[in-house]
C-alpha cells in the first residue's frame, strides 16, 4: 500500500509541475515606463494622491461633485457592471468544487404480449439518488478561468473608477466653463453700457460740430455689435447648465455657482514617478487587468489539449416496491473515475488557443496604447498650465495698457486730437483682451483639472 501511495504522490507531483510549466503568466517587469513622461521631470509627490475635496477651492463646486458621485447615471451603471462581474467571478470559483444534484423518480413498465414469451408483465421501480461529479483540475484549466474572471472583475472595477475620475473632471470643467460664460456676459453688458455712453458723447460732439453724423452712426453700430452677442452667451449658459444637470442626474434647471475671479488654481502640480500611472490611473489599471486576464485565458485554452480527469459518484435508494424504497437493503452506490483525452474535435481546441493568443496580443497593444496616451495627457496638461501662467502675466500688462488707451483716446476726442475710430478701436481691443483674460484664467483652471484626471486622481 505504501508503494502505491508513493507512486500516486509522485505522479501527482509530476502532473502539477508539468502543468505549471505549461502556463505563461504576466510579468509587470515587461512594462517600460522610464520615458513615459518624456522630458517632464518626475516629482516625489503626486497630485493624484490629493482628495478632490482638497483640490477645488469652492464649496459650491465641492457640493456639485458630491452630488454627481451620488446620482450620476453612468456611474450607477458602472457600479452595476462591477456587481455583474463579481457574480461571474464567484461562479468561476464554484467551478472548482464538485457538483451535487438530487433526483427522485418512479417508473412503471408494462411489456406487450408480443415481446414477452411468458406473456405480458408489469412492474414498478422507484428511486431517490444523490449525484456528484468533480473534474480534477490537474492542468489548471479551471483555475486559469477563475483567475481570468477575477482580473475581469478588477478591470470592471477599474472601469468604474475611470468613470468616477472622468465624472469629477467633467463636473469641474463644466462648472468653470459656466463661470467663464458668466464673466463674459458681465463684461459684454459693461461694454454695452460703455458703448451707450459713448454714443451719447458722440451725439453731444456732433451738436458742437466736432464730429460728423458718421461718427454717431458708427458708435451706435459698435454698441449693437457688442449687444448682439448677449443672447448667444445666455444660450450657452443655459446649455452648460443643462449639461451640468445631466452630469448630476438632475432635470434641467439653474445651477448655484460662485464667481470666476474667486477661483484659484491649485499650484501643487507634482506628477509623481512615471510608474505610478500603473497604480493610479484607472484606465491604465483596467487595460493591465484585461491583459492579465488574456494571459490566463491563453493558459486555459492550452489546458484543453491535455486529458481531463472526472470523478462521478451516485448514491441513493432503489426498489421495485415503494414501501421498500427507504429500506437499508435498497441502498445503492457507485463511484466512477474517467479520463478523457481529446484527439479530434473539429479543431475546437486549436481555434480556442489561436483566438486566445490573438486576444492576448490585442490586449497587450491596448495596454501599451493606453499607457502612452496617459503620458501624453500628463505632458499636455503640464504644458497647458505653463502656457496659461506665462500668458496671465502678459495679459495683465496688456489690460492695463488698453484701459489707459481707452481713457486717453476719450479725452483726446473731447479735445479734438483723436478721431472716433480710434476710440472705437481702443474699446474693441479692450473688450477682446478682457474676454481673452477670462479664457486664460479658465485655461489655467482647466490645466489643473486635466492634470488631476490624467494622473488618475479622484477615485481613491
Amino acid at each position: 500500500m505504501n508503494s502505491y501511495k508513493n507512486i500516486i504522490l509522485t505522479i501527482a507531483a509530476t502532473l502539477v509541475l508539468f502543468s505549471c510549466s505549461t502556463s505563461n503568466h504576466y510579468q509587470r517587469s515587461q512594462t517600460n515606463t522610464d520615458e513615459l513622461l518624456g522630458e517632464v521631470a518626475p516629482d516625489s509627490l503626486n497630485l493624484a494622491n490629493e482628495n478632490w475635496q482638497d483640490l477645488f477651492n469652492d464649496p459650491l463646486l465641492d457640493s456639485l461633485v458630491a452630488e454627481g458621485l451620488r446620482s450620476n447615471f453612468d456611474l450607477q451603471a458602472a457600479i452595476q457592471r462591477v456587481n455583474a462581474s463579481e457574480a461571474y467571478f464567484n461562479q468561476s470559483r464554484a467551478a472548482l468544487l464538485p457538483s451535487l444534484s438530487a433526483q427522485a423518480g418512479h417508473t412503471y413498465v408494462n411489456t406487450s404480449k408480443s415481446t414477452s414469451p411468458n406473456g405480458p408483465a408489469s412492474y414498478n421501480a422507484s428511486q431517490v439518488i444523490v449525484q456528484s461529479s468533480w473534474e480534477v483540475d490537474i492542468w489548471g484549466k479551471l483555475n486559469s478561468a477563475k483567475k481570468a474572471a477575477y482580473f475581469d472583475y478588477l478591470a470592471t472595477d477599474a472601469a468604474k473608477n475611470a468613470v468616477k475620475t472622468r465624472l469629477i473632471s467633467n463636473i469641474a470643467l463644466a462648472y468653470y466653463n459656466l463661470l467663464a460664460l458668466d464673466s463674459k456676459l458681465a463684461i459684454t453688458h459693461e461694454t454695452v453700457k460703455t458703448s451707450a455712453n459713448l454714443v451719447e458723447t458722440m451725439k453731444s460732439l456732433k451738436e458742437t460740430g466736432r464730429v460728423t453724423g458718421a461718427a454717431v452712426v458708427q458708435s451706435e453700430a459698435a454698441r449693437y455689435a457688442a449687444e448682439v452677442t448677449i443672447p448667444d452667451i445666455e444660450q450657452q449658459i443655459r446649455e452648460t447648465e443643462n449639461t451640468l444637470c445631466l452630469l448630476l442626474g438632475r432635470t434641467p434647471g439653474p445651477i448655484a455657482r460662485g464667481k470666476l475671479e474667486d477661483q484659484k488654481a491649485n499650484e501643487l502640480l507634482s506628477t509623481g514617478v512615471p510608474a505610478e500611472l500603473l497604480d493610479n490611473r484607472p484606465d491604465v489599471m483596467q487595460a493591465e487587468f484585461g491583459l492579465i486576464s488574456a494571459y490566463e485565458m491563453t493558459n486555459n485554452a492550452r489546458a484543453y489539449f491535455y486529458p481531463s480527469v472526472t470523478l462521478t459518484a451516485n448514491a441513493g435508494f432503489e426498489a421495485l416496491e415503494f414501501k421498500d424504497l427507504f429500506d437499508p437493503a435498497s441502498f445503492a452506490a457507485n463511484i466512477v473515475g474517467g479520463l478523457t483525452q481529446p484527439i479530434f474535435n473539429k479543431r475546437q481546441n486549436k481555434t480556442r488557443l489561436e483566438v486566445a493568443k490573438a486576444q492576448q496580443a490585442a490586449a497587450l497593444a491596448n495596454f501599451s496604447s493606453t499607457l502612452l496616451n496617459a503620458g501624453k495627457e500628463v505632458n499636455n496638461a503640464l504644458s497647458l498650465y505653463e502656457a496659461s501662467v506665462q500668458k496671465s502675466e502678459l495679459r495683465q500688462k496688456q489690460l492695463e495698457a488698453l484701459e489707459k488707451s481707452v481713457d486717453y483716446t476719450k479725452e483726446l476726442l473731447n479735445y479734438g486730437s483723436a478721431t472716433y475710430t480710434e476710440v472705437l478701436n481702443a474699446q474693441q481691443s479692450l473688450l477682446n483682451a478682457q474676454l481673452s483674460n477670462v479664457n486664460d484664467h479658465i485655461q489655467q483652471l482647466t490645466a489643473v483639472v486635466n492634470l488631476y484626471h490624467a494622473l488618475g486622481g479622484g477615485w481613491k
Side-chain angles (χ1 to χ4, degrees), residues 65-85 156-157 159-167 245-250:
V65 172
E67 181 182 350
L69 294 177
R70 290 193 307 268
S71 306
N72 179 265
F73 294 114
D74 290 337
L75 184 56
Q76 291 178 9
I79 292 173
Q80 295 307 316
R81 286 193 289 271
V82 172
N83 294 336
S85 182
T156 309
D157 187 64
K160 178 208 68 178
N161 292 332
V163 173
K164 185 176 180 181
T165 60
R166 185 170 62 250
L167 175 63
C245 286
L246 180 61
L247 294 173
L248 301 177
R250 290 188 197 174

Short mmCIF file of all heavy atoms in Angstrom, two decimals, residues 65-85 156-157 159-167 245-250:
data_model
loop_
_atom_site.label_atom_id
_atom_site.label_comp_id
_atom_site.label_asym_id
_atom_site.label_seq_id
_atom_site.Cartn_x
_atom_site.Cartn_y
_atom_site.Cartn_z
N VAL A 65 -19.85 68.14 -7.04
CA VAL A 65 -19.12 66.90 -7.29
C VAL A 65 -19.68 65.78 -6.41
O VAL A 65 -19.89 64.64 -6.88
CB VAL A 65 -17.61 67.09 -7.02
CG1 VAL A 65 -16.88 65.75 -7.07
CG2 VAL A 65 -17.01 68.06 -8.03
N ALA A 66 -19.94 66.09 -5.15
CA ALA A 66 -20.51 65.08 -4.24
C ALA A 66 -21.87 64.61 -4.74
O ALA A 66 -22.18 63.40 -4.70
CB ALA A 66 -20.62 65.66 -2.83
N GLU A 67 -22.68 65.54 -5.23
CA GLU A 67 -23.99 65.16 -5.77
C GLU A 67 -23.84 64.28 -7.01
O GLU A 67 -24.59 63.30 -7.18
CB GLU A 67 -24.79 66.42 -6.11
CG GLU A 67 -26.18 66.13 -6.65
CD GLU A 67 -26.94 67.40 -7.01
OE1 GLU A 67 -26.47 68.51 -6.67
OE2 GLU A 67 -28.03 67.28 -7.64
N GLY A 68 -22.90 64.63 -7.87
CA GLY A 68 -22.68 63.82 -9.06
C GLY A 68 -22.24 62.41 -8.74
O GLY A 68 -22.67 61.44 -9.38
N LEU A 69 -21.38 62.25 -7.73
CA LEU A 69 -20.92 60.91 -7.34
C LEU A 69 -22.05 60.08 -6.76
O LEU A 69 -22.01 58.85 -6.80
CB LEU A 69 -19.78 61.03 -6.33
CG LEU A 69 -18.48 61.64 -6.86
CD1 LEU A 69 -17.46 61.78 -5.75
CD2 LEU A 69 -17.91 60.82 -8.01
N ARG A 70 -23.07 60.75 -6.21
CA ARG A 70 -24.22 60.03 -5.67
C ARG A 70 -25.24 59.68 -6.74
O ARG A 70 -25.87 58.62 -6.68
CB ARG A 70 -24.91 60.86 -4.59
CG ARG A 70 -24.15 61.02 -3.29
CD ARG A 70 -25.07 61.58 -2.21
NE ARG A 70 -25.73 62.82 -2.64
CZ ARG A 70 -25.26 64.03 -2.44
NH1 ARG A 70 -24.10 64.19 -1.82
NH2 ARG A 70 -25.94 65.10 -2.85
N SER A 71 -25.43 60.57 -7.71
CA SER A 71 -26.61 60.47 -8.57
C SER A 71 -26.33 60.27 -10.05
O SER A 71 -27.28 60.05 -10.80
CB SER A 71 -27.47 61.75 -8.40
OG SER A 71 -27.77 61.98 -7.04
N ASN A 72 -25.09 60.36 -10.49
CA ASN A 72 -24.81 60.23 -11.92
C ASN A 72 -25.19 58.84 -12.43
O ASN A 72 -24.81 57.82 -11.84
CB ASN A 72 -23.33 60.51 -12.19
CG ASN A 72 -22.98 60.38 -13.65
OD1 ASN A 72 -22.54 59.33 -14.10
ND2 ASN A 72 -23.20 61.43 -14.41
N PHE A 73 -25.91 58.79 -13.52
CA PHE A 73 -26.42 57.52 -14.03
C PHE A 73 -25.33 56.66 -14.64
O PHE A 73 -25.37 55.42 -14.55
CB PHE A 73 -27.54 57.77 -15.05
CG PHE A 73 -28.77 58.39 -14.44
CD1 PHE A 73 -29.17 59.67 -14.79
CD2 PHE A 73 -29.51 57.71 -13.50
CE1 PHE A 73 -30.30 60.26 -14.22
CE2 PHE A 73 -30.64 58.27 -12.93
CZ PHE A 73 -31.03 59.55 -13.29
N ASP A 74 -24.35 57.27 -15.28
CA ASP A 74 -23.24 56.49 -15.85
C ASP A 74 -22.46 55.79 -14.74
O ASP A 74 -22.06 54.62 -14.90
CB ASP A 74 -22.30 57.40 -16.65
CG ASP A 74 -22.94 57.90 -17.94
OD1 ASP A 74 -23.87 57.23 -18.41
OD2 ASP A 74 -22.51 58.94 -18.45
N LEU A 75 -22.24 56.48 -13.63
CA LEU A 75 -21.52 55.86 -12.52
C LEU A 75 -22.35 54.75 -11.89
O LEU A 75 -21.82 53.69 -11.52
CB LEU A 75 -21.17 56.93 -11.47
CG LEU A 75 -20.33 56.46 -10.28
CD1 LEU A 75 -19.03 55.83 -10.75
CD2 LEU A 75 -20.05 57.63 -9.34
N GLN A 76 -23.67 54.96 -11.77
CA GLN A 76 -24.52 53.91 -11.22
C GLN A 76 -24.51 52.67 -12.12
O GLN A 76 -24.48 51.53 -11.63
CB GLN A 76 -25.95 54.44 -11.06
CG GLN A 76 -26.09 55.50 -9.98
CD GLN A 76 -27.51 56.03 -9.88
OE1 GLN A 76 -28.43 55.51 -10.49
NE2 GLN A 76 -27.70 57.09 -9.11
N ALA A 77 -24.53 52.89 -13.43
CA ALA A 77 -24.46 51.76 -14.36
C ALA A 77 -23.13 51.03 -14.24
O ALA A 77 -23.07 49.79 -14.30
CB ALA A 77 -24.68 52.24 -15.79
N ALA A 78 -22.04 51.79 -14.07
CA ALA A 78 -20.71 51.18 -13.91
C ALA A 78 -20.66 50.33 -12.64
O ALA A 78 -20.05 49.25 -12.62
CB ALA A 78 -19.64 52.26 -13.87
N ILE A 79 -21.29 50.79 -11.57
CA ILE A 79 -21.33 50.02 -10.32
C ILE A 79 -22.08 48.70 -10.53
O ILE A 79 -21.66 47.64 -10.02
CB ILE A 79 -21.99 50.85 -9.21
CG1 ILE A 79 -21.10 52.05 -8.84
CG2 ILE A 79 -22.26 50.00 -7.97
CD1 ILE A 79 -21.74 53.02 -7.87
N GLN A 80 -23.16 48.73 -11.28
CA GLN A 80 -23.91 47.50 -11.55
C GLN A 80 -23.11 46.54 -12.42
O GLN A 80 -23.21 45.32 -12.27
CB GLN A 80 -25.26 47.84 -12.21
CG GLN A 80 -26.20 48.62 -11.32
CD GLN A 80 -26.42 47.96 -9.97
OE1 GLN A 80 -26.62 46.74 -9.88
NE2 GLN A 80 -26.36 48.75 -8.91
N ARG A 81 -22.29 47.07 -13.33
CA ARG A 81 -21.43 46.20 -14.13
C ARG A 81 -20.39 45.52 -13.25
O ARG A 81 -20.01 44.36 -13.50
CB ARG A 81 -20.76 47.01 -15.25
CG ARG A 81 -21.70 47.38 -16.39
CD ARG A 81 -20.93 47.90 -17.59
NE ARG A 81 -20.35 49.21 -17.34
CZ ARG A 81 -20.97 50.37 -17.58
NH1 ARG A 81 -22.20 50.36 -18.07
NH2 ARG A 81 -20.38 51.52 -17.36
N VAL A 82 -19.92 46.22 -12.23
CA VAL A 82 -19.00 45.60 -11.27
C VAL A 82 -19.70 44.46 -10.53
O VAL A 82 -19.13 43.38 -10.34
CB VAL A 82 -18.47 46.65 -10.27
CG1 VAL A 82 -17.66 45.99 -9.17
CG2 VAL A 82 -17.61 47.68 -10.98
N ASN A 83 -20.94 44.68 -10.12
CA ASN A 83 -21.69 43.64 -9.42
C ASN A 83 -21.88 42.41 -10.31
O ASN A 83 -21.76 41.26 -9.85
CB ASN A 83 -23.05 44.17 -8.98
CG ASN A 83 -22.93 45.26 -7.92
OD1 ASN A 83 -21.93 45.32 -7.20
ND2 ASN A 83 -23.93 46.11 -7.82
N ALA A 84 -22.17 42.65 -11.59
CA ALA A 84 -22.33 41.52 -12.52
C ALA A 84 -21.02 40.77 -12.71
O ALA A 84 -20.98 39.53 -12.74
CB ALA A 84 -22.85 42.03 -13.87
N SER A 85 -19.92 41.50 -12.81
CA SER A 85 -18.60 40.87 -12.98
C SER A 85 -18.22 40.08 -11.73
O SER A 85 -17.63 39.00 -11.83
CB SER A 85 -17.55 41.95 -13.27
OG SER A 85 -16.28 41.36 -13.48
N THR A 156 -13.26 45.60 -14.46
CA THR A 156 -14.56 46.27 -14.41
C THR A 156 -14.61 47.29 -13.27
O THR A 156 -15.17 48.38 -13.42
CB THR A 156 -15.69 45.24 -14.23
OG1 THR A 156 -15.56 44.22 -15.21
CG2 THR A 156 -17.06 45.90 -14.38
N ASP A 157 -14.00 46.93 -12.15
CA ASP A 157 -13.94 47.87 -11.02
C ASP A 157 -13.08 49.08 -11.39
O ASP A 157 -13.41 50.22 -11.03
CB ASP A 157 -13.37 47.16 -9.79
CG ASP A 157 -13.45 48.03 -8.55
OD1 ASP A 157 -14.56 48.37 -8.12
OD2 ASP A 157 -12.37 48.39 -8.01
N ALA A 159 -12.72 50.19 -14.40
CA ALA A 159 -13.54 50.97 -15.34
C ALA A 159 -14.51 51.87 -14.59
O ALA A 159 -14.76 53.01 -14.99
CB ALA A 159 -14.29 50.02 -16.28
N LYS A 160 -15.07 51.35 -13.48
CA LYS A 160 -15.95 52.17 -12.65
C LYS A 160 -15.18 53.36 -12.09
O LYS A 160 -15.68 54.50 -12.08
CB LYS A 160 -16.51 51.34 -11.51
CG LYS A 160 -17.40 52.11 -10.54
CD LYS A 160 -17.38 51.52 -9.14
CE LYS A 160 -16.03 51.70 -8.48
NZ LYS A 160 -15.97 51.17 -7.11
N ASN A 161 -13.95 53.13 -11.64
CA ASN A 161 -13.14 54.22 -11.10
C ASN A 161 -12.77 55.23 -12.19
O ASN A 161 -12.66 56.43 -11.93
CB ASN A 161 -11.87 53.66 -10.46
CG ASN A 161 -12.16 52.86 -9.20
OD1 ASN A 161 -13.15 53.12 -8.52
ND2 ASN A 161 -11.32 51.89 -8.90
N ALA A 162 -12.58 54.73 -13.42
CA ALA A 162 -12.32 55.64 -14.53
C ALA A 162 -13.53 56.54 -14.80
O ALA A 162 -13.38 57.73 -15.10
CB ALA A 162 -11.95 54.85 -15.79
N VAL A 163 -14.72 55.96 -14.70
CA VAL A 163 -15.94 56.77 -14.84
C VAL A 163 -16.00 57.82 -13.74
O VAL A 163 -16.37 58.97 -13.97
CB VAL A 163 -17.19 55.87 -14.79
CG1 VAL A 163 -18.46 56.70 -14.75
CG2 VAL A 163 -17.23 54.94 -16.00
N LYS A 164 -15.57 57.45 -12.55
CA LYS A 164 -15.60 58.36 -11.41
C LYS A 164 -14.64 59.53 -11.62
O LYS A 164 -15.00 60.70 -11.42
CB LYS A 164 -15.23 57.60 -10.13
CG LYS A 164 -15.35 58.41 -8.86
CD LYS A 164 -15.07 57.54 -7.64
CE LYS A 164 -15.18 58.34 -6.35
NZ LYS A 164 -14.88 57.49 -5.16
N THR A 165 -13.40 59.24 -12.03
CA THR A 165 -12.43 60.31 -12.25
C THR A 165 -12.87 61.22 -13.40
O THR A 165 -12.72 62.44 -13.33
CB THR A 165 -11.03 59.74 -12.56
OG1 THR A 165 -11.10 58.92 -13.73
CG2 THR A 165 -10.53 58.89 -11.41
N ARG A 166 -13.42 60.61 -14.45
CA ARG A 166 -13.89 61.42 -15.58
C ARG A 166 -15.08 62.27 -15.18
O ARG A 166 -15.21 63.43 -15.61
CB ARG A 166 -14.26 60.50 -16.74
CG ARG A 166 -14.65 61.24 -18.02
CD ARG A 166 -14.76 60.33 -19.20
NE ARG A 166 -15.78 59.31 -19.03
CZ ARG A 166 -15.53 58.01 -18.86
NH1 ARG A 166 -14.29 57.57 -18.80
NH2 ARG A 166 -16.51 57.15 -18.71
N LEU A 167 -15.94 61.73 -14.32
CA LEU A 167 -17.11 62.49 -13.86
C LEU A 167 -16.67 63.70 -13.05
O LEU A 167 -17.19 64.82 -13.25
CB LEU A 167 -18.01 61.59 -13.02
CG LEU A 167 -19.22 62.26 -12.36
CD1 LEU A 167 -20.17 62.81 -13.41
CD2 LEU A 167 -19.95 61.27 -11.45
N CYS A 245 -26.42 69.67 -15.22
CA CYS A 245 -27.54 68.96 -14.59
C CYS A 245 -27.56 67.49 -15.02
O CYS A 245 -27.86 66.60 -14.20
CB CYS A 245 -28.87 69.62 -14.96
SG CYS A 245 -29.18 71.19 -14.11
N LEU A 246 -27.23 67.23 -16.28
CA LEU A 246 -27.19 65.85 -16.75
C LEU A 246 -26.10 65.07 -16.01
O LEU A 246 -26.31 63.91 -15.62
CB LEU A 246 -26.92 65.82 -18.26
CG LEU A 246 -26.84 64.45 -18.91
CD1 LEU A 246 -28.15 63.69 -18.75
CD2 LEU A 246 -26.47 64.57 -20.38
N LEU A 247 -24.94 65.68 -15.80
CA LEU A 247 -23.87 65.03 -15.05
C LEU A 247 -24.28 64.75 -13.61
O LEU A 247 -23.83 63.78 -13.00
CB LEU A 247 -22.60 65.89 -15.08
CG LEU A 247 -21.93 66.07 -16.44
CD1 LEU A 247 -20.79 67.08 -16.35
CD2 LEU A 247 -21.40 64.75 -16.96
N LEU A 248 -25.14 65.62 -13.07
CA LEU A 248 -25.58 65.48 -11.69
C LEU A 248 -26.80 64.57 -11.54
O LEU A 248 -27.24 64.30 -10.43
CB LEU A 248 -25.92 66.86 -11.11
CG LEU A 248 -24.78 67.89 -11.10
CD1 LEU A 248 -25.29 69.21 -10.57
CD2 LEU A 248 -23.61 67.40 -10.27
N GLY A 249 -27.36 64.12 -12.66
CA GLY A 249 -28.55 63.30 -12.61
C GLY A 249 -29.79 64.10 -12.28
O GLY A 249 -30.78 63.56 -11.76
N ARG A 250 -29.77 65.41 -12.62
CA ARG A 250 -30.91 66.30 -12.36
C ARG A 250 -31.68 66.56 -13.65
O ARG A 250 -31.17 66.37 -14.75
CB ARG A 250 -30.44 67.66 -11.85
CG ARG A 250 -29.86 67.73 -10.49
CD ARG A 250 -29.66 69.22 -10.17
NE ARG A 250 -28.77 69.49 -9.07
CZ ARG A 250 -28.38 70.71 -8.73
NH1 ARG A 250 -28.79 71.76 -9.44
NH2 ARG A 250 -27.58 70.89 -7.69
#
